[in-house]
Amino acid sequence: MSAETGDRSPKAGMLGLDGLLPEQLSRRGFVVMTALMSGFTMATAHAQANPPVRTPADGLVAGEVKIPVKDGDIPAYRAMPEGAGPFPIVLVIEEIFGVHEYIKDVCRRLAKAGYLAVAPELYARRGDISRVTDVQVLLRDFIAKTPDAEVMSDLDATAAWAAQHKGDAQRLGVTGFCRGGRAVWLYAAHNPALKAGVAWYGPVGGQTSPIQPKTALDVAGDLKAPVLGLYGGADTGIPVASIGELKKKALAAGKTVELEIFPDAPHAFHADYRPTYRKEAAEAGWKLMLAFFKKHGVA
């Protein structure tokens, strides 16, 4: 939890928990997710300080799909323009709260810009994330137990699925928010077919584990695609100095990294359903993301 829930620890801020309220849920309610949630994760339901952006689906093909992965199927949300395609692909990586309405809307916004956007539910195997109201349960039973190798494999499978469903595999991009921003850095070091990545306030450092062995800083010299990092200068969980260290390490290895730091923005400044939302920074970051994708061949 964050300062707004009584925990001012850097770890909490790095995970983007600003504006959340602690509640309890019996683990007896957990089931593996076979379908996406409607609305918002229960953990975020009380955090809505602003009317969330609602992007209509007119002119789009949008809705839930199934992504074949190595051990079955996982649910995902796909949005793309109507028409024959092929469309450039953008993988959208969720926050820690699952593929809820905010992430779906991000996909529709990208589709309105001409992309096939798809957000896989990367925590589906751990249980029904939509029912979690206790953030600590979410961190312990979902985030900490999801191997980075599994995330990379699922993103590969999602890109392959998109390429078979009107997507252009030669124009592949990725974007993600908070924990998803961290995954953007890792995926840019993983997939040589990636053209560009955009990480929204993704943690740079942090704790590692046997199943999550590297941080974004650890892979900075191994990037296989250009990455744009969008960060808030008022983010108490991600020090500006650490972001600069990542860029310095990447540039020293001959990699392409661009950073934009919005001085007064907190963590999760793009999350329009939360008190942390900052409209000016969110809209400016969105424009920078689209321009970065276009510049590096994801358009």
Side-chain angles (χ1 to χ4, degrees), residues 246-266:
L246 184 152
K247 181 177 181 180
K248 182 179 179 181
K249 182 176 179 180
L251 295 181
K255 310 303 179 181
T256 299
V257 167
E258 296 182 19
L259 296 177
E260 184 71 25
I261 299 173
F262 298 94
D264 300 321

Side-chain angles (χ1 to χ4, degrees), residues 1 16 43 48 88 128 159 162 179 191 196 203 213 217 227 249 255 262 282:
M1 290 173 289
Q48 296 181 39
D128 187 353
R179 187 73 176 182
N191 188 352
L217 182 60
V227 178
K249 182 176 179 180
K255 310 303 179 181
F262 298 94

Side-chain angles (χ1 to χ4, degrees), residues 86-108:
F87 305 107
I89 300 166
V90 176
L91 307 179
V92 178
I93 311 179
E94 66 204 282
E95 312 158 301
I96 66 171
F97 306 117
V99 181
H100 59 80
E101 183 52 38
Y102 163 64
I103 298 298
K104 295 175 186 178
D105 201 273
V106 167
C107 290
R108 293 194 295 273

Side-chain angles (χ1 to χ4, degrees), residues 119-231:
E121 181 45 79
L122 300 171
Y123 303 118
R125 298 173 184 82
R126 312 282 94 82
D128 187 353
I129 199 170
S130 69
R131 300 188 63 186
V132 179
T133 59
D134 185 333
V135 173
Q136 296 307 316
V137 171
L138 181 64
L139 297 178
R140 182 191 69 217
D141 292 347
F142 288 79
I143 309 308
K145 292 184 179 179
T146 299
D148 286 338
E150 180 181 275
V151 171
M152 299 298 104
S153 177
D154 285 352
L155 291 172
D156 285 344
T158 303
W161 179 91
Q164 296 169 1
H165 293 81
K166 298 187 177 183
D168 184 351
Q170 303 303 311
R171 294 183 290 166
L172 175 64
V174 63
T175 192
F177 304 86
C178 185
R179 187 73 176 182
R182 170 186 178 271
V184 167
W185 291 105
L186 298 184
Y187 197 63
H190 164 78
N191 188 352
L194 187 71
K195 293 295 186 182
V198 178
W200 296 78
Y201 34 85
V204 171
Q207 296 180 344
T208 59
S209 72
I211 64 170
Q212 297 171 357
K214 293 185 178 181
T215 67
L217 182 60
D218 291 333
V219 303
D222 302 320
L223 300 177
K224 297 176 175 62
V227 178
L228 168 65
L230 302 171
Y231 288 86

